[in-house]
Amino acid sequence: MSTERTENAPAVGLSPDPQWWRQAAVYQIYPRSFADADGNGIGDLRGITERVPYLRELGVDAVWLSPFYPSDLADGGYDVADYRDVDPKIGTLEDFDAMVEALHAAGIRLIVDIVPNHTSDQHAWFQEALAAGPGSPARDRYIFRDGQGPDGAEPPADWTSIFGGPAWTRVQDGQWYLHSFAPEQPDLNWDNPEVRADFLTTLRFWSDRGVDGFRIDVAHGLAKDLPDQLPTQAQLDEMPIDGTHPLWDRDEVHEIYAEWRKVFDSYDPPRTAVAEAWVEADRRPAYASPKGLGQAFNFDLLSAHFDARSFEDIVSFNTDLAARSGSSSTWVLSNHDVVRHATRYGLPEVPGRTDKETGVAWILSGGTEPQLDAERGLRRARAATLFELALPGSAYLYQGEELGLHEVADIPDEDRQDPTFFRSPGVDKGRDGCRVPLPWTREGSSFGFGPDGAHLPQPQWFGRYAVEAEEADEDSTLSLYRRALAARRELQGAEELEWIETGDAQVLAFARPGGWVCVTNFSDQPVRLPEALAGEVVLGSAAASSSGTVPAEATLWLRH
Ligand code: NOJ
């Protein structure tokens, strides 16, 4: 595998620009599935360090590292047992420092995941709360309640957790605790001053170790207001999520982030943050405000069909929204929670359903119904990615999408790990299919992921998508990403975008400063490039059969 530096790679060392995040290409690493250096079947930090040359050659500006903290892996690491350490299964703090050093030397920033809504049930605080008993200060760090009914054997409310099943679990002395996700993920009580203070310590701990930014998990869930008489699930479902809902997106959550901002701004350059907040679009700017986290994920493209009108509306709406918050836009097509976009786009459209929903239905059927057109899915994914990378703002890329990887749908039930599978139970196949360890070589043990197997089974077809195979192929998806990320560096001037009328509802075109034009043909037929757009083709997601045309379901980048 080539590790040489090419013209794609960023200059050595970090850019001094404190606004580096505004238009960054950020590569998400799900550490347990990226590269396994020690051979225990689980990806690790040394594995990442060894692959820094790969990341550099890919040309990304930053890495977002999903949780790497000590964890029993009830939810793939989003159940954190200690916020200021590394899981021994994947390394040590020294490995972490070495990884930061290698990334920074390669000009790549590091964003780490912070999971503040809940801890693991293995966290020292939760263990202490169990031992300390009802009414204790240790219980006050979480959300404990007495049950209903004469002996308290009924839960305090009939709430359903996001992963399915009840949201309240009973402990030995009879009390119940709230978990919005799995029972192994008790929700913290953010009215407790110790909880607040401890997360400030955590933010400083990682910032002091050189971390450049934070991705905030379930950022809209921390502030809660639970009355003595709890509403029912049906009543909760009826309540508007407008700042007053007892559980989600409460206005007071921003007081927490204002405190965090003071910590971020005490560093030079200021640490950045991006909110994972599934909220109404008009409530995103509050999370993205420079007085708060500074940026918020927008999952609109990820939730949409591969469709010209939807893409145009989403881009117009979100660029305006970001400008109003003082932040930059964010774009996401894939992450560790959804069916990979190459697969979503290869499934037949179902009226009234988004591609995301169709993808979920496909996973539910074990990848049989409806039929996947893998080639078409990849063709559209490449077009969507080039569209995304031409937009102003940050693009968040998920490991493996640069290889054009498809979802693995047919993981045997006994190998599945995702709590959504166990809690549905078995009905929702869950998110393991996008978390299968990456293929690095065409053949061999775990396709080069590590010396001794992989923690989720990899299908035979993974070899075709291996880094080794794609590096050798100019037309591969990896080669396309490398070229696009290199060219994108020249695009990163002003955050402006101007739509160009194409006269065809299936063709979108927009101009960026510096004479750049991006054209996407969403139809399944090639179209003539409108006269007004003629220019030098710098890059295409598919090869044009004749000059002056845009291939079917393809994006071209032109320069005038
Ligand atoms: C969102 C994360 O992306 C997901 O993977 C996790 O299961 C939940 N938050 C709970 O932490």
Side-chain angles (χ1 to χ4, degrees), residues 344-350 355 358 370-373 376:
R344 293 199 311 268
Y345 294 152
L347 295 168
E349 271 182 26
V350 179
D355 287 353
T358 309
Q371 283 302 319
L372 172 70
D373 182 342
R376 179 180 215 199

Side-chain angles (χ1 to χ4, degrees), residues 1-6 34-35 47 50-55 57 402-403 438-443 446-450 465-472 478 482:
M1 204 169 307
S2 155
T3 52
E4 275 165 36
R5 178 161 188 266
T6 68
F34 184 69
E50 284 172 9
R51 307 288 172 168
V52 166
Y54 172 78
L55 298 169
E57 194 160 356
E402 78 279 18
L403 305 174
L438 290 192
W440 293 89
T441 54
R442 285 192 182 93
E443 289 167 2
S446 64
F447 298 102
F449 165 69
Y465 293 83
V467 172
E468 180 188 44
E470 298 207 13
E471 276 191 331
L478 179 59
R482 285 180 175 172

Side-chain angles (χ1 to χ4, degrees), residues 31-33 35-47 67-82 85-93 95 120 122 417 449 455:
R32 292 174 179 83
S33 299
D36 175 22
D38 68 8
N40 65 354
I42 300 178
D44 44 40
L45 301 188
R46 280 208 290 122
F68 52 90
Y69 313 105
S71 169
D72 261 14
L73 303 183
D75 180 20
Y78 284 89
D79 46 322
V80 178
D82 181 349
D85 205 349
V86 172
D87 190 337
K89 295 186 278 305
I90 70 171
T92 61
L93 278 170
D95 292 338
S120 155
Q122 302 305 308
Q417 299 175 9
F449 165 69
H455 66 97

Side-chain angles (χ1 to χ4, degrees), residues 30 64 75 78-79 113 115 118 163 181 185 215 217-218 276 278 335-337 418-419 431 435:
Y30 192 74
W64 148 29
D75 180 20
Y78 284 89
D79 46 322
D113 225 305
V115 188
H118 42 266
F163 290 160
F181 296 86
Q185 295 168 295
R215 177 261 188 195
D217 190 64
V218 198
E276 187 223 18
W278 289 87
N335 64 28
H336 66 296
D337 288 332
D418 186 354
R431 302 162 293 179
R435 301 174 179 182

